[in-house]
Structure formats: structure tokens, C-alpha cells
Amino acid sequence: MIEKITFLLFAAAALIASGGETATVLRDFRDAAGFSLNAAVGSVSGDGTILRIDTTGRDEAWTPVFRTRPGVLKPGTDYVATFQYRIDSPDMEKKFLHFLCRPFSRPDSALDTMRRNEGRSEKFRPVKIKFRTGTRADDYAFQIHTFRKLKGEIMDFTLAEGTGEVYLAATPDTKPFTGSLGKLPTGAKEFTIEPPDNPGGTVVDAAEFGVSPENPDNIPALNRALEHCREIGAARLTVRPGVYRMTSDVPLRFRGMRDFVFDGGGATFIWLKKRQPNFLVEQCERLVLRNFNMDWEWKKDPLASLVEVAAVTPESVDFKFVEYETFPRRDVRVAIVSSYDPATKSVGIEGGFDRGFEFYAGQNRPKTEWLSGNLLRVYAHDLGRFRPGQLFRMQHYYYDMGGFALTDNRHLTIEDVNIFSCAGHAFVVSGTQQFWEFRRVNIAAPKGVPRRVITCTADHCHIARSRGFFRMEECEFSLGADDCLNAHDCSGYAEKSGTHSVRTRNMRAIDTYPPGTPVELRHGDYSPSGFRSTVVSTRTIDNGKGIHEITFRDPVPEPIDDGFILFNWNYDTRNIIVRNCFFHDNRARGILLLGRDITLENNRFRHNEMGAIKIETGYTFNVWSEGYGADNIVVRNNTFDSVNPRDVANDGKARDIYMGVYMKTDPSTERTRYPILSNILFENNRFRDSFGLVAFISSAGNVTFRDNTFENPTPRRDPLPYRAAFFVTSASDVKIVNNRYIASPNVPNPGVFYDPESVENIVAAGNIVIPEK
């Protein structure tokens, strides 16, 4: 039945297609009037079919090679570039071709609408790049630059106006879809967290060990109390109400605790330190942490500040600290600035941006100069996006220290805890952690306290690896500097080096691959290789570059591409339940789901700067490699309000929900036809004021959106033709059915766009436009 419906929809698409046809703008390199070529590094073959590039004689990091001339591209218009390229001795870490869409007259990246790197193939490799020009300039150009020194060629080049996509419209008179949707995912299974079982255990008062609000530092006394509890097998440690200072550069240690409750008694712990997490919780079982508040000493050391651009030159930008007459730290660190919305009192505005300076403490520190008590000059380059009067949240910390480090625990409960602020991640989970929960854990600024523009300076909760079974209920995560929840396991990339061995690239944690570790090898497109074996040994070749040799018990097969992706099955972040939570006003995304057997229900997402949910997996050669794919995910009865105000896009398309992969770099425009993201259901959700697509769906299979509602009453500064629609590419068995659009002039094309070259078995039916109430 589905195949028949799909065929009928394909046939009808020709009648309602929008942007499906393309019109050629440039073909090959024959028309020199249509482009500008840097003759010092580029040349065209005699027949005009091949562009030859040679920047091996240049010392610059970036070299422009090719630009279409003003007038060739129109503002606010879709284009498709197709070509083949090759590179001599490819090495994406050291050199690559950089394709971008930028105004011809702009030397900086301020108005770029597309950037993509290619350079991993010595043989000609086909590429298709879809992009859309912006509206803030009238001379956008398709450009080719190089990063560092390389030699290569480009041929079969075509630049065409249009999208090449098919559009299936939602209409007022559509009939409900009544066909079969096949097997739908079920999400996570319910599970139990075991409570502490220590009925005869001792109750210890922390004050007996010297814990007191009068102490300048309570960490040593609390650690003595905790060690005493561990030694005698106590049932509970209690803290009296009050405000406690914490200044040692060591954490509170919960190590090897069993059947134990830490009751904070409503106390507030305030940290001021330079290193180490606040709480270190490891190898504990049936542990409860409850009833306390965590904060930072803002009067002496603000974690972030609200600043206004006072002046800009090509070499410097002046920031005024608007809430201070004299800023308390004269050795201030400018980690990153993010555009700030005074209406929501949080980061994230349309057309906004981030700019990193001293992102990692001590690295790339810019020269700074205090011009007055609250006016700071920062010396830097590429400042074209800064304008006087702009507001930013300036972070003075990012990946520093952290709140809770949770490792290798089982049956852990954290409840009734308020995190007002902390330096770094609020929670980092690692190791073989399994069966844990957050209940009424709130990461939110304290009410009525001024200058609190941030809570945690990195992710709210970052699950780097675990064995799953995590539940969070009735929690609020807000105002943090990165994702609210990022749940994944760390993967890796390697190339075959022997009959039984592989050599890794950028492997950060070789210590998680001891002998006996079960490892699966996936091909570079995430398709199964059929190989799963155990580690026999590891050998470090270059630890700084993450190069190690791993030897397995069984012979390694031949890759179908350049190498393999490693799944370490000592870890399996799965069976996650998130209910009745509120994620809002944070930098980055609401939730990243890179696991399986997951249920999200009855949650609220509001003003998440870069989108609400990402379901993805990916690997890189220079930063992170995260996720083993995604499977069996249910997202139901949630509300999404004004997520992605920053207009963050994939393949030039802004989106609320993103499903896809990144390969070699993050982000990347490479996709896989293998459905590494599969069995995903969104139902009965409400989306309000999408800034772009409702969902970008790629590298996926068996994805269903049904019975969702979309309302878009608020106009955008930059209207998008695909607002509140869906886009599907490199996917199969996608069903978008029986969704409701509340009629709005801000949604010109409600419905589904898809790429006919890479999508199989798509069903878009029963999607109706209903009158506004």
C-alpha cells in the first residue's frame, strides 16, 4: 500500500513542484566573463573544461582561486553547484579546497551563507553543493579558495539556479492519511533505580567535622566527613542550612560509597577555585545526593558579563561592561562572545553570531587593554560583523572545571538540587555509568540576583560515554553556554594497518580500549563491515595526534572507502527517558540524541539558540567523534517555541530538528545512504514560530512525523521560502502524515521538500492547512 501511495505522490509532484527545475548559470570554465580567476594559482585548460589549481608556491594559509562575478548570482536565491575534483596526495588535516558563498566585495566571513571543505580524493570525486544566497548584499558569489598548499583539478563544473527538489504541499482540502505506517518505534523501556538499603546505618552531622558557614573553605572538612562515612558504612551525612564557601582546588569526593544519602539540608555551596570539578562521584552504588544549591562567587569572579560594543576598528573592538562601573577582575579572560537578546535576556537573535577569542584558557589569548573601569579594548582581526550598540554575553570561562563529574556509578539519584551557576559543564558523565536519574534538578539563575547572564559555562549535561538507563523528570535546564543534554558514546576513526590491526586518527581516549574490549568496525559510510572482535593490544605512535595501533583477535576486512569507524561496545548510551522538563534560553541546542531506545515526552523547548533537537552521529579528523547512530526514538507531546533564533543551518537550511551525520569535519555536507539513524517517531508535538524548517531529515530510515501542529504568527526579519516545511535527503521510508498547519502568511510553502535523487519511499499525505482561530 505504501509503495502505491508513494508512486502516486511522485507522479503528482510534477504538478506542484516548487524550485524543482534548474536553469544553468555557468557551465565549465569557458565563459571568462562570468567569473574572476586568480591567475597566480589557477589556470583553465584550452577547451575550458578543467580548472587547474596550484598553491604550492604560496605561504598564506588561505588563497582565493575562483569567484563568480557580481550579477551572476541573485540575492535570496537557491543554486546548485555540481562538479568533480581531485587533489594530489590528499590530507584533509593539512590542505583542502574550500567552497563558499560570500559577497564579491567582502574580504571577511560576516555574510557567508555556505562553506564546505573537500579534498580527500586523489581520483576525481563527484560533488553536489546546494546553497542559497543572502539578502544583505547584492553581489553574492560562488567562490573557491584553498587552505594551505595543494595541487588539484576541478572538471564537469555546472552552476544552476534552483534547488532540484520536489515539493509536496499541505493544502486546506487534503484528506486524512489512513494507510499503514509500518512498524513504529516504541522508545525506552521503564526501569527502576534502586534506593539505598542501609536501615541500621549511622546518621552523621557534617558540623561535627568542622563544616561551618564561618569557614573560608569547607572542602577539607566535608571530605573528612565523607571519608568517615565511607569507612563506617554510614547511611546518611547531613548538612545544616546555611551558605558554605568552597575554595580548595580539590573536589568533594564520593568514591566507592554504597547505600548512602548526602542530604544538603537546603544549604548553598559557593565555589571559587581554579581547577577540578566541584563534585567527583565515582564507583558508587545506590547513592542519593539531594536538597542543596550550588553556586559560584560572582562578586569576585564573574563567569560571564553583559557587554555592549562601544567602538570598532579593523584591529580592535571595545566592549563596555554595562552592569559594572568597575569590573572586578582586571586580568579578565575573553573566552567567547555571543549575540544577546535583551527581550529574552539570553543569547540568540536572528542574524546573531559567536566569536571565540581565548576559547581555551591560555590559548590564543588576545591582547587586551582597559580604557576605563568598565571599558575593555580587545585587539583582533576579522571584526567585520561587530557594530557599535550590539549586545553580547561575554564568557570568561568555557570548558573549565565543571560541577559534577559522574563516573562508573550504578543506581545513582540526584534530586532537589539547584545549580545556580558553575564554571564548565554542570554534569559530565563517563565510564560504565548505568541506572541513574535526575529528579527536580534545576540549572537556572537565582531569582532576583543581578548580573546572572549565565548558569554553567559549557553543556548542562554531557554524557561522554555510559551504559545507559538514564531518566530525568521535572528538571529545568537554562541559560547555559552549550547543549542542555548531549547524550552519546565516543567513536573513533582508523585505517587498516595490518592483517589484524588498524591505525587510529585523532583517537582521544585510547585508554578506553584495553585488551578484551569488544569493538565493531563500520565502513566510512557507517554501513556494517561485518567485523566485531576483541582488542588484543594497543600501541601508541603519536599521542598528541591521537595515532595508535590497535590489534584485534580476528583478521580486519578490507574497507570499502578510506577507513573504518570504531564502535567501542564497552559503552552503550541507551534507554533514556526525559519527561516533564523545560529546556530554554541556552546557547547551542536543546538535546542531542546519539543513542537508542529513547523517549522524550511532555517537555518544553523555548529559545534554544541553535535548534531544539539533533539526532546525529559523526566522526572527524581534528575534533570529536561521537555516536554509534540512533535507533528506536519516540518524541511525543512536546512543545517547541522559537527554537533556533540564530538561524543555524545545514546545507543552507535553518531547522528546528536536525537528523544527519558529519563525516571528516563537523559540520559537513556529506551524507550516507545507509540509514544509521533509524526508527524515529515524532507525534502530537506543537511547533510555534519555527525560524526555518520544522525538520531536516537525512542519513535516516523509517522516520515518521504524524499528528503534529505548526503555528507561525510572528514574521521573520529574513523570510524563508521553506519556513515550517520539511526537507528530506539521503533517506528512505520517511512518512510525514496528518500534520496540521495553522494558516499563516509567514509560511508560504507548507509541506515537504525532498531530493528525488537520494530519497526512496517517501509518504507525505494528510497534511492539512486549517484556518487561524
Side-chain angles (χ1 to χ4, degrees), residues 198 201-204 209 225-236:
N198 191 1
T202 303
V203 176
V204 178
F209 290 82
L226 288 168
E227 180 59 21
H228 172 75
C229 289
R230 190 185 68 81
E231 289 177 352
I232 69 169
R236 184 185 306 261

Side-chain angles (χ1 to χ4, degrees), residues 222-520:
L222 270 170
N223 274 333
R224 288 195 301 271
L226 288 168
E227 180 59 21
H228 172 75
C229 289
R230 190 185 68 81
E231 289 177 352
I232 69 169
R236 184 185 306 261
L237 175 66
T238 63
V239 179
R240 299 176 186 181
V243 176
Y244 297 85
R245 305 290 168 181
M246 320 288 281
T247 58
S248 292
D249 286 329
V250 297
L252 290 182
R253 292 192 179 94
F254 295 79
R255 182 174 294 161
M257 309 290 280
R258 299 285 186 276
D259 298 305
F260 180 72
V261 176
F262 176 78
D263 190 334
T268 297
F269 302 105
I270 298 180
W271 267 267
L272 181 65
K273 57 191 176 68
K274 297 179 180 179
R275 60 185 67 89
Q276 295 291 327
N278 298 350
F279 291 82
L280 178 61
V281 185
E282 56 184 357
Q283 299 174 6
C284 295
E285 190 165 358
R286 293 182 297 279
L287 171 69
V288 175
L289 308 177
R290 67 160 60 117
N291 196 19
F292 58 88
N293 308 312
M294 183 170 74
D295 206 354
W296 184 261
E297 181 55 84
W298 281 71
K299 290 182 179 179
K300 295 180 180 179
D301 186 21
L303 296 175
S305 307
L306 177 61
V307 298
E308 179 181 352
V309 176
V312 186
T313 73
E315 291 81 28
S316 66
V317 55
D318 296 346
F319 293 108
K320 179 182 178 181
F321 290 72
V322 299
E323 296 182 303
Y324 295 89
E325 291 296 326
T326 300
F327 190 72
R329 285 199 63 164
R330 310 316 285 171
D331 60 340
V332 62
R333 171 183 165 197
V334 184
I336 186 172
V337 297
S338 302
S339 295
Y340 185 86
D341 184 349
T344 62
K345 296 184 178 180
S346 62
V347 297
I349 61 173
E350 187 174 355
F353 64 97
D354 292 337
R355 173 63 188 271
F357 292 94
E358 190 185 347
F359 190 86
Y360 293 100
Q363 294 185 17
N364 303 314
R365 186 179 182 93
K367 177 184 175 183
T368 59
E369 176 185 1
W370 284 105
L371 304 181
S372 70
N374 66 352
L375 188 62
L376 179 73
R377 175 165 292 171
V378 179
Y379 292 90
H381 299 287
D382 194 15
L383 300 171
R385 301 188 72 176
F386 289 97
R387 297 286 186 275
Q390 291 173 331
L391 293 176
F392 291 90
R393 183 178 71 183
M394 178 186 289
Q395 291 181 220
H396 310 306
Y397 290 88
Y398 207 92
Y399 293 132
D400 304 88
M401 295 174 275
F404 291 80
L406 310 176
T407 305
D408 298 331
N409 304 289
R410 284 174 54 85
H411 298 287
L412 167 69
T413 295
I414 301 178
E415 61 186 7
D416 299 307
V417 170
N418 295 307
I419 299 175
F420 297 141
S421 65
C422 71
H425 300 293
F427 294 94
V428 174
V429 179
S430 190
T432 58
Q433 178 110 350
Q434 190 176 43
F435 295 106
W436 82 101
E437 64 181 347
F438 295 163
R439 301 175 63 228
R440 298 176 300 281
V441 173
N442 299 315
I443 304 174
K447 291 179 171 55
V449 179
R451 301 171 177 167
R452 295 301 187 98
V453 293
I454 205 167
T455 53
C456 50
T457 68
D459 292 9
H460 303 67
C461 180
H462 184 98
I463 302 174
R465 51 182 65 85
S466 79
R467 288 186 177 170
F469 292 86
F470 167 56
R471 177 172 58 231
M472 60 182 296
E473 296 181 308
E474 300 180 72
C475 299
E476 177 186 0
F477 284 8
S478 63
L479 285 183
D482 217 306
D483 306 312
C484 291
L485 172 62
N486 183 347
H488 65 268
D489 297 298
C490 293
S491 61
Y493 182 84
E495 295 164 348
K496 185 173 180 179
S497 60
T499 58
H500 288 67
S501 64
V502 297
R503 183 165 296 184
T504 66
R505 296 179 65 177
N506 188 40
M507 177 70 76
R508 294 184 167 195
I510 192 63
D511 59 308
T512 63
Y513 288 80
T517 299
V519 174
E520 179 184 0

Side-chain angles (χ1 to χ4, degrees), residues 450-604:
R451 301 171 177 167
R452 295 301 187 98
V453 293
I454 205 167
T455 53
C456 50
T457 68
D459 292 9
H460 303 67
C461 180
H462 184 98
I463 302 174
R465 51 182 65 85
S466 79
R467 288 186 177 170
F469 292 86
F470 167 56
R471 177 172 58 231
M472 60 182 296
E473 296 181 308
E474 300 180 72
C475 299
E476 177 186 0
F477 284 8
S478 63
L479 285 183
D482 217 306
D483 306 312
C484 291
L485 172 62
N486 183 347
H488 65 268
D489 297 298
C490 293
S491 61
Y493 182 84
E495 295 164 348
K496 185 173 180 179
S497 60
T499 58
H500 288 67
S501 64
V502 297
R503 183 165 296 184
T504 66
R505 296 179 65 177
N506 188 40
M507 177 70 76
R508 294 184 167 195
I510 192 63
D511 59 308
T512 63
Y513 288 80
T517 299
V519 174
E520 179 184 0
L521 297 183
R522 290 290 184 109
H523 289 299
D525 64 353
Y526 282 99
S527 62
S529 71
F531 178 89
R532 182 162 176 161
S533 185
T534 56
V535 174
V536 173
S537 64
T538 63
R539 179 174 66 91
T540 296
I541 298 171
D542 188 331
N543 192 56
K545 294 182 178 180
I547 302 174
H548 311 274
E549 190 162 76
I550 302 176
T551 301
F552 296 103
R553 181 189 61 198
D554 301 299
V556 174
E558 295 299 320
I560 62 172
D561 203 346
D562 299 331
F564 296 106
I565 306 160
L566 282 68
F567 292 176
N568 181 343
W569 286 111
N570 258 341
Y571 310 102
D572 189 1
T573 294
R574 60 181 290 260
N575 218 82
I576 297 171
I577 298 172
V578 181
R579 288 198 187 103
N580 303 313
C581 295
F582 186 19
F583 305 100
H584 66 99
D585 293 294
N586 64 295
R587 181 176 174 270
R589 290 65 55 107
I591 294 182
L592 274 71
L593 300 176
L594 289 74
R596 55 198 178 99
D597 307 327
I598 298 171
T599 297
L600 270 60
E601 56 187 4
N602 303 319
N603 303 293
R604 290 186 294 156

Side-chain angles (χ1 to χ4, degrees), residues 606-678:
R606 189 191 72 199
H607 202 251
N608 312 106
E609 185 199 36
M610 300 181 185
I613 294 176
K614 292 187 81 173
I615 300 173
E616 69 173 1
T617 196
Y619 65 94
T620 70
F621 296 152
N622 60 334
V623 282
W624 43 74
S625 298
E626 297 177 349
Y628 303 166
D631 182 47
N632 189 27
I633 295 175
V634 174
V635 181
R636 64 162 66 97
N637 299 333
N638 302 279
T639 62
F640 302 90
D641 187 353
S642 304
V643 298
N644 195 16
R646 263 277 304 277
D647 201 16
V648 173
N650 291 87
D651 291 10
K653 289 180 168 62
R655 72 291 179 276
D656 291 359
I657 309 298
Y658 173 71
M659 301 179 199
V661 300
Y662 54 90
M663 303 166 74
K664 289 87 176 178
T665 62
D666 182 20
S668 73
T669 53
E670 286 197 61
R671 308 288 169 210
T672 175
R673 297 291 293 273
Y674 179 79
I676 188 65
L677 315 173
S678 59

